[in-house]
Amino acid sequence: AIDPQFTENREQVDSHKGHDVWGPVEEPEKLGIHGTHVAVDFDICIADGACVEDCPVDVFEWVDTPDHPESELKADPANESQCIDCMLCVDVCPVDAIDVDAG
Ligand code: SF4
Ligand code: F3S
Ligand code: ZN
């Protein structure tokens, strides 16, 4: 599962489409965590798609991640500022790849 303390345990190494990327990143095998308020651990995501389908405000957009060992698509929190903290995505992800800081 995603580490809920990732902002303390990881370094912000990059940004992507306006959101933070938390390392380590070593493409293509290690892609880190994308987003901060809505955070997706790309190294855990298996492209199940439930988050993309269920988010009521369309926070997620698919991105291609060729040659990643878990999946070649990831749910990117491209619109994390629109999140309404409903926690649906956290509940439906089968591999617990998402953390939403609703505090
Ligand atoms: Fe979307 Fe709700 Fe997840 Fe926020 S908590 S990203 S609104 S599903
Ligand atoms: Fe990935 Fe979980 Fe969404 S596996 S596509 S973050 S439901
Ligand atoms: Zn991203």
Side-chain angles (χ1 to χ4, degrees):
I2 187 171
D3 175 7
Q5 307 297 320
F6 71 89
T7 59
E8 288 150 43
N9 295 335
R10 293 175 177 236
E11 303 277 327
Q12 187 202 333
V13 295
D14 201 357
S15 62
H16 177 233
K17 296 185 179 174
H19 54 261
D20 300 329
V21 178
W22 302 84
V25 173
E26 291 168 43
E27 294 179 2
E29 293 90 2
K30 287 187 78 69
L31 300 175
I33 291 175
H34 281 232
T36 301
H37 180 72
V38 180
V40 180
D41 191 325
F42 274 22
D43 296 312
I44 296 176
C45 175
I46 57 170
D48 175 85
C51 61
V52 181
E53 283 176 30
D54 289 1
C55 176
V57 291
D58 294 333
V59 162
F60 302 99
E61 292 179 2
W62 290 115
V63 295
D64 292 316
T65 56
D67 299 323
H68 188 270
E70 296 297 339
S71 59
E72 300 206 330
L73 287 173
K74 305 294 177 185
D76 194 35
N79 306 307
E80 71 173 346
S81 66
Q82 314 219 349
C83 176
I84 57 171
D85 298 345
C86 73
M87 307 308 276
L88 257 178
C89 58
V90 173
D91 291 342
V92 295
C93 179
V95 289
D96 291 331
I98 308 176
D99 181 70
V100 174
D101 178 11

